[in-house]
Amino acid sequence: MTVKARIDRIGQYVDQEVVLEGWLWNKRSSGKIAFLNFRDGSGFIQCVVAKQDVPEELFTLAKGLTQESSIRITGLVRREERSPIGYEITVSDIEVVARTEDYPITPKEHGVDFLLDHRHLWIRSPRQRAILKVRAEVIKGMRAFFDENGFTQVDPPVLTPSSAEGTTNMFETEYVNGESAYLSQSGQLYMEAAAMALGRVYSFGPTFRAEKSKTRKHMNEFWMIEPEMAYVEHQENMQIQEALVKYTIQHVLEHCQYELKALDRNLEPLERIVKEKFPIITYAEAVQILQDKGHDFPYGEDFGAPHETELTNHFDLPVFVEKWPANIKAFYMQPDPDNPDLILGADLLAPEGYGEIVGGSQRIHDYELMKKRFEEEKFDDSYNWYLELRQYGTVPHSGFGIGLERTIAWICGIDHIRETIMIPRTLYRLYP
Amino acid sequence: MTVKARIDRIGQYVDQEVVLEGWLWNKRSSGKIAFLNFRDGSGFIQCVVAKQDVPEELFTLAKGLTQESSIRITGLVRREERSPIGYEITVSDIEVVARTEDYPITPKEHGVDFLLDHRHLWIRSPRQRAILKVRAEVIKGMRAFFDENGFTQVDPPVLTPSSAEGTTNMFETEYVNGESAYLSQSGQLYMEAAAMALGRVYSFGPTFRAEKSKTRKHMNEFWMIEPEMAYVEHQENMQIQEALVKYTIQHVLEHCQYELKALDRNLEPLERIVKEKFPIITYAEAVQILQDKGHDFPYGEDFGAPHETELTNHFDLPVFVEKWPANIKAFYMQPDPDNPDLILGADLLAPEGYGEIVGGSQRIHDYELMKKRFEEEKFDDSYNWYLELRQYGTVPHSGFGIGLERTIAWICGIDHIRETIMIPRTLYRLYP
Ligand SMILES: [Mg+2]
Ligand SMILES: [Mg+2]
């Protein structure tokens, strides 16, 4: 029996006959030869049917194949220098599993609404497939980093009684006991509890924001990775973030050459990032840079997209902006001992216009100070457990959240984060 | 400067002085010696303070330490055969980072409601920590299996327009566009679309069921792994499930010896599973076995917990029960060509009373048959995309869902799945 092979491992079968199971992506043919661009999910490969070498019916069948027909191809694996993957198939047989008529996504241009309506099919296209492969490798790279550095994965709950940052932008549902529950925007507070049990932990799961915003950087459902570390302070927190980002990019550069090429990604800026130290500037320095460049930007406000782009263009590298004014950051951030109006936290801005991908900080660990914050924020009893983390076994600790889709959009060099996930959930889109 | 060490890597520092950062779990002491049971999240280690070898104040400090006080310990790493981890620390200094008074979870017995109210602290206990470590290794093992076998991780959406299996048991929320959205019970239908793009895929994420059930095997929020494979039929689907379960158990046996011991897990049944072939019986054979054993069980009903236990006790191994009556299984399951009243699917039942951990099947790939099912089920337009998967590039395909928490409860040998996750969501519990 001929062996079943996969395109991503086809190099193991040179000069052997194999069977490939998949789909015809497209073809071109003349009177003498048909080139089938065949995909099996693991990759794309050119399969060649030469009229003079095969029975007449096979050549006719090959020439008449339609896009996205399901086929089994039998053929010989050959080295081929001109192939983007280095191999080609000389076809000896084709079995049609199912013939497809009128596949809706043709090689012509389609509008984005049409493509999103057909997202369940659009993901078969080489470009969309490449993005989903990069996504999977970004996840694999990040996990490998955490595994190698003593982190334990912990899964915080999605259904929460409320949020420390208010419930305005949260999806609400009725829990089975009749109470209101909200879909988590962040597992951070729970991850702080986990860090006190397991030392170094990270979460990897979906988060939700019910905002009606409609930008290239927002989705209503997106994935976050949230590490939290006991006995780690602000400086080390940034070092770990830098190491994670470098490790992830290095991993993708090693495992996704084919996909990054399919995306026309310029590799130079990514390769540079792996080698160079990320600059760290204070929020005050960032404001100064913006003002020097002619922006009318007042101290004390959050940056918008043009400001983030200006700052990263200035360095052409990811940049940490640290020591923000406390009043524009979250209640749990540790004050700077040198100036309690500032916090020991940083945002990491990605270059090439991608902006904020990480937000992190040292967390307040002093019980009295956290109690004061609770009074200022008027928290009710539902956060008592979080306060108790400072009452029992409190230690300095830090953590951060990295947005998976923004990181992928940056690494892939694509315009809109909706293409970084199989089924995007945006303002007007709950289908498919 | 003395090097910072972690307990899980302490063997690298034998006869060296190290600093450990963590917490006092408990202690016992006499007039001459204090034994500190110290934890740092990565593990537990005994630290010994001998009165004659340290300054008077240090011995006094050690004797007065309270449970869950945050401390830095400096000391010499020594091999110690009697230690469960093989090492011990001879203490030369202790720094108290924060003293804890009246830690609520004392070594005495607490009721389960009290413990669940203090879940954010309870996870620090050796037994709870061990379960969370096993959870993390189960996840790591499963991912390694998928990585090695050509699967790509894909993340299906949580917010869905509705469910093919009805919305009665689903959490509902208002989407940002005003439509009703539901929290996914399963990503399977989306994963079928992904398999047609990427060949072999798996999801790893939270799923939700708004059932008011209150058993040891149900939570309202739980994690599922849902692989889906193009060009894979029923028999191969079961082979892959068996390989996954064996690989995962082998991984846990290799990486969690310490944790399984902390849980008093009998390893013999787990070791046996790795070696032996899982029996496959038909639903009809299963009914016959139950009737032979004196159960008054009619053909055509689903098994309850006692029936699942009886069946697995009969073999003392995980058992596949295949070829169920179509009318008690989901609409998308492929009919058995030998008897279209049965489906080509199987449940995998775990032994030792744990019952169903996997449900899987070959999926209908014929367009006309799926269209007929759609009419029978009276689906509206929101599932057109799923039907289109049969219209364009349809192929035989199969998949399954494995419940993470049930698998962990079984591997850990614990009674209730609520202990397999950091923050369980059950009928009466939305706090912490
Ligand atoms: Mg920002
Ligand atoms: Mg069942």
Side-chain angles (χ1 to χ4, degrees), chain B residues 360-371:
Chain B
S361 74
Q362 187 170 332
R363 322 304 191 184
I364 291 173
H365 65 280
D366 181 73
Y367 176 71
E368 293 302 332
L369 180 55
M370 186 57 89
K371 213 173 143 187

Side-chain angles (χ1 to χ4, degrees), chain A residues 192 195-197 230-233 365-367 388-397, chain B residues 19-26 36-41 61-62 64-74 93-103 121 124:
Chain A
E192 291 183 53
M196 301 307 131
Y231 284 104
V232 164
E233 303 189 15
H365 65 281
D366 181 72
Y367 176 71
E388 281 182 17
L389 300 179
R390 279 72 187 168
Q391 204 172 352
Y392 307 115
T394 192
V395 302
H397 64 289
Chain B
V19 175
L20 292 171
E21 298 181 315
W23 300 266
L24 181 78
W25 180 244
N26 60 38
L36 310 179
N37 184 356
F38 175 86
R39 68 178 191 87
D40 73 349
L61 186 151
L65 282 173
T66 52
Q67 189 186 4
E68 278 303 294
S69 283
S70 320
I71 52 178
R72 282 195 185 87
I73 282 189
T74 307
D93 199 11
I94 299 172
E95 176 198 342
V96 177
V97 175
R99 190 179 162 85
T100 289
E101 302 294 347
D102 303 321
Y103 185 65
L121 305 175
R124 302 178 185 180

Side-chain angles (χ1 to χ4, degrees), chain A residues 18 28 34 56 86 172 241 272-273 334 390 400 422:
Chain A
V18 298
R28 58 200 167 83
E56 176 93 32
E172 186 176 351
Q241 291 166 47
R272 186 166 133 73
I273 278 160
Q334 175 77 7
R390 279 72 187 168
F400 59 95
M422 171 168 58

